[in-house]
Structures are given as structure tokens and as C-alpha cells.
Amino acid sequence: MVMMFIPSCPSVSQKPMNLNYLSKHIALSKYKRDIKRGSIERPQILPSTSGDAVGLRVFVLSDLHTDYADNMKWVKSISTVTHKKDVLLVAGDVAELYDNFVLTMSLLKDRFEHIFYIPGNHDLWCRLDGEDYVDSLQKLNKLLDACRVLGVETNPMIVDGLGIIPLFSWYHESFDREKDITGVRITSLEMACKDFHACKWHGALSNGDTSLSLYFDAINEKSLNMVKEIQRTCSQIITFSHFVPRQELCPEKRMLFYPKLPKIIGSDYLEVRIRSIHGIQGSASACHVFGHTHFCWDTVLDGIRYVQAPLAYPRERKRRMNGGEDWLPFCIYSDGKFTDRLSPCFWSDYYSANPRTPHNTELAPWVARFYNQT
């Protein structure tokens, strides 16, 4: 996910004014001071599975953005021995440049036995590739062709009794149903979101309505028979997408440096698709992995576990409380069961202890200082 509006400041990490907030605010003030002094010690994320684990292990990762040299270096640093029998789910935004995409996926395929991939918005950008794509769908087909050649899976599959289902998706503005921030001048979606310029769409497809969301969701129909087979034979299923299936998986608008972000992150059709697979009530054996917003997340909503484990941009990892270089990719499944939740996950931890209050549209202090009242 790239926004043109990116203030150079610490990541969002303050809270509404209550006793819980005050104690966290004191700790956060020390955290900010330590960042400035270059002495920050991040909370340690313990390995989610031991090295002597037996059976299938599934790791998850999103938003690799290997057009950044630091991120490509990180991919190359992944052990060529440790994961030889493991599965990796890549939840989109690998690279904008086709050559970087192919190199990244090749490196990952050398390290893991199985790689599953679903495209993100950055993967479909057409501006810097040196090739004159007719549109982003042509680039999508080129990426999927490359995956077939490399042996990267983009279709549902059963691995050692575990069902794995990639889900194509795209966002739509009407996904956002929470109250808008008013009284301040906020950059338009077309100006802030590079997708409106870097992606190419023809015919009736547009970022301005639900056409793209419906188009990408319809791609999943081609795999219905395999999905039904997975539902029939697998007691545990992992679905994954790039985009966000529920608005509760993103901080409230008042907390965001770009309060319009929820309008360009998710799809209602995606959540319907997920529930059609895992069931309306979900279950302890249901998990969905997503990406796009670069927020570490691990929570259960209506019976389904939702996880985001993004590599994100180098600058974001430096100011993220749990970093990312040392604990990614995250092991979501091992020894026949789902692993313990990812922690710390700042925002999902926050919402596990505090109710969501989208009716409150007063900008958080760390956001308000970037906006002038109109």
C-alpha cells in the first residue's frame, strides 16, 4: 500500500484519553525518546514454533516490496536450509518491477517447498516496468504465467491434509461505512493513492466503483470445485488475500495519518467469499491471512482468525515496535494446529482491550498536528 501522503513522523501509537491510555502514553513517550537516541529495544517476538517441530509448517508474509534494496536483501537472507519442507503464503505486493517480482519469487521458491501467491495492487502497477502493458490485467496474466513457470501456486490446494485457498480481490470505496472526518482538508483519493495513476484499466473497470472488486472476486469462481473438495476433506483451512475483508481490521479514521485510507483497502465481497468457505460462524480451524495496510494484526472476529504479517517498507520497520526482520515470516501453522497469536501486534492488541468508537471523529493528537481546520 503506497500513499503519496506520508508524513515523516513516528508511527501511530497513542490512544484515547483514559487510564489505560495514560499508562501506555507514558511508556510510549519513553519509546519515542529512545528512538531519537538510537537505543530502542523492541519487545521480542519469540519463535512461533521450535526448530524440532515435526509435520507441516506454514509461514505467512505480505507486502515484501522488494523494489527496495533493503527488502530484497532481507529476502536473500532467509535461510536456504531451515524451510526446505515448509509452505509460505505470500499475500501480495511483492514488487512493482516484473524482474524484481521474478527474482523475489525465485529466491523464495529456492527456500520453501511450496509457495502460494495472490497479487496485490503494487504488483499490477504499470509505470516503471519498461514494457507498455495494455492494462494491469495483462500484467496480472504475465505474473501468473511467471508463477506457473516457477512452480508457485496461485490456485487452491491441499497440502498434507491442510486446505490452502488463495482469494483474488480488489478494494471498493463503499467498503468504508464508518463516519468520515470533517472540518479538516484531506487530500483526495485520486491525489493520495498511486493506484489511480499507476494501474491501467479499460472498459467498465474503474477504481471509482465496485467493478474491480466484482471482477477480481469473480476470478475465484473458477476454483469452486477445488474449494468444495477442500471443504469436504479438510478439517483445517487457511484462506488468504491481499486486501482487507473487514473494516475492523484497520484502525479508526481518527487514528490514521490519512483518514480516508479505509476507502481504498478492502472488499465486502471478499468477506462474503471467506464466510462461504469457513462458515458464517467460523470455527477454531478457520484462518484468513491478509496484507495491504502494513499493520501487524492477529485477532479473532466472529469465529475466524485474521492475521497480517507484513514486511512493509524499511522506514516503517524502523519505527514499528516489533520491527520485522527477525521474526518474519510468521509461522501460522505447525504440528497439525494453528500456532499462538502473533504478539505484540500494536493495533489488534489495542482493540482487544478497547472498544471501537468510529462515531468519534476528533483526530488523535499525533494526526491533528498535520491538519489545519477548515
Side-chain angles (χ1 to χ4, degrees):
M1 183 69 199
V2 154
M3 311 298 301
M4 292 180 183
F5 181 85
I6 305 176
S8 56
C9 58
S11 58
V12 290
S13 46
Q14 298 178 12
K15 305 297 174 294
M17 187 64 70
N18 55 35
L19 291 178
N20 215 5
Y21 160 72
L22 287 175
S23 62
K24 292 179 180 178
H25 178 69
I26 294 170
L28 180 65
S29 297
K30 180 181 184 301
Y31 168 67
K32 288 180 176 178
R33 290 196 302 270
D34 288 343
I35 287 178
K36 292 177 181 178
R37 295 170 184 160
S39 61
I40 183 67
E41 292 184 4
R42 293 187 174 95
Q44 181 182 9
I45 295 183
L46 297 176
S48 50
T49 183
S50 61
D52 58 355
V54 295
L56 178 69
R57 297 195 304 176
V58 179
F59 291 78
V60 297
L61 180 65
S62 73
D63 303 281
L64 285 76
H65 295 290
T66 55
D67 296 307
Y68 288 89
D70 284 351
N71 286 17
M72 184 67 82
K73 181 179 178 181
W74 179 87
V75 170
K76 292 178 179 178
S77 74
I78 298 175
S79 171
T80 57
V81 176
T82 304
H83 300 292
K84 279 299 185 181
K85 296 182 179 180
D86 297 336
V87 175
L88 177 66
L89 310 185
V90 180
D93 275 5
V94 173
E96 175 181 356
L97 298 179
Y98 175 79
D99 288 346
N100 285 341
F101 175 87
V102 172
L103 174 58
T104 303
M105 300 308 281
S106 298
L107 290 167
L108 294 174
K109 192 66 178 70
D110 287 342
R111 287 154 171 77
F112 290 81
E113 182 174 3
H114 296 288
I115 300 288
F116 287 80
Y117 163 75
I118 203 72
N121 50 315
H122 282 245
D123 300 324
L124 302 189
W125 284 8
C126 300
R127 31 168 226 167
L128 300 176
D129 230 347
E131 183 169 335
D132 188 18
Y133 295 105
V134 173
D135 57 20
S136 290
L137 296 181
Q138 183 185 36
K139 186 173 184 185
L140 171 62
N141 288 329
K142 187 174 181 179
L143 297 180
L144 296 179
D145 287 342
C147 287
R148 280 188 283 271
V149 171
L150 294 170
V152 172
E153 300 292 339
T154 58
N155 295 306
M157 183 175 171
I158 300 173
V159 182
D160 290 355
L162 175 69
I164 299 176
I165 304 176
L167 293 176
F168 289 83
S169 60
W170 200 267
Y171 57 82
H172 58 95
E173 186 175 343
S174 55
F175 172 79
D176 171 26
R177 292 188 179 85
E178 294 184 350
K179 191 173 182 180
D180 284 332
I181 302 296
T182 58
V184 294
R185 192 184 308 278
I186 303 174
T187 307
S188 68
L189 295 176
E190 292 77 10
M191 289 293 292
C193 180
K194 292 184 180 180
D195 290 350
F196 285 84
H197 313 285
C199 290
K200 292 182 182 180
W201 309 110
H202 287 103
L205 297 180
S206 167
N207 266 334
D209 53 33
T210 60
S211 57
L212 280 169
S213 295
L214 289 168
Y215 180 91
F216 277 88
D217 181 66
I219 297 176
N220 299 310
E221 294 290 317
K222 300 176 182 179
S223 301
L224 277 185
N225 289 338
M226 188 61 200
V227 170
K228 290 177 181 177
E229 178 67 13
I230 289 173
Q231 290 176 303
R232 187 180 68 82
T233 61
C234 298
S235 60
Q236 296 168 310
I237 300 174
I238 302 176
T239 53
F240 74 103
S241 63
H242 177 65
F243 295 102
V244 181
R246 297 177 63 133
Q247 192 164 357
E248 302 99 307
L249 300 172
C250 180
E252 298 153 76
K253 294 174 184 176
R254 62 194 174 91
M255 309 285 199
L256 299 167
F257 287 120
Y258 186 61
K260 291 184 179 181
L261 180 67
K263 301 181 186 300
I264 47 175
I265 64 170
S267 168
D268 294 324
Y269 311 110
L270 173 60
E271 175 68 1
V272 171
R273 180 75 57 177
I274 292 167
R275 294 285 160 177
S276 74
I277 296 169
H278 293 296
I280 297 298
Q281 302 301 321
S283 72
S285 60
C287 180
H288 183 79
V289 176
F290 64 101
H292 190 55
T293 57
H294 297 194
F295 295 116
C296 295
W297 214 282
D298 196 340
T299 193
V300 175
L301 295 174
D302 297 328
I304 296 179
R305 182 180 179 183
Y306 294 88
V307 177
Q308 181 174 193
L311 182 61
Y313 304 131
R315 65 177 178 270
E316 291 174 323
R317 289 197 304 280
K318 290 177 181 178
R319 66 185 189 228
R320 196 161 66 186
M321 291 186 72
N322 52 1
E325 296 93 338
D326 299 331
W327 58 269
L328 287 169
F330 176 64
C331 184
I332 193 72
Y333 183 89
S334 178
D335 293 336
K337 61 182 183 297
F338 290 106
T339 58
D340 294 338
R341 66 183 299 275
L342 173 59
S343 181
C345 278
F346 193 87
W347 283 110
S348 54
D349 289 349
Y350 170 69
Y351 284 113
S352 69
N354 299 276
R356 194 175 182 88
T357 56
H359 57 278
N360 180 359
T361 59
E362 182 180 354
L363 291 177
W366 65 91
V367 176
R369 62 196 178 101
F370 289 99
Y371 289 93
N372 296 319
Q373 297 291 324
T374 58

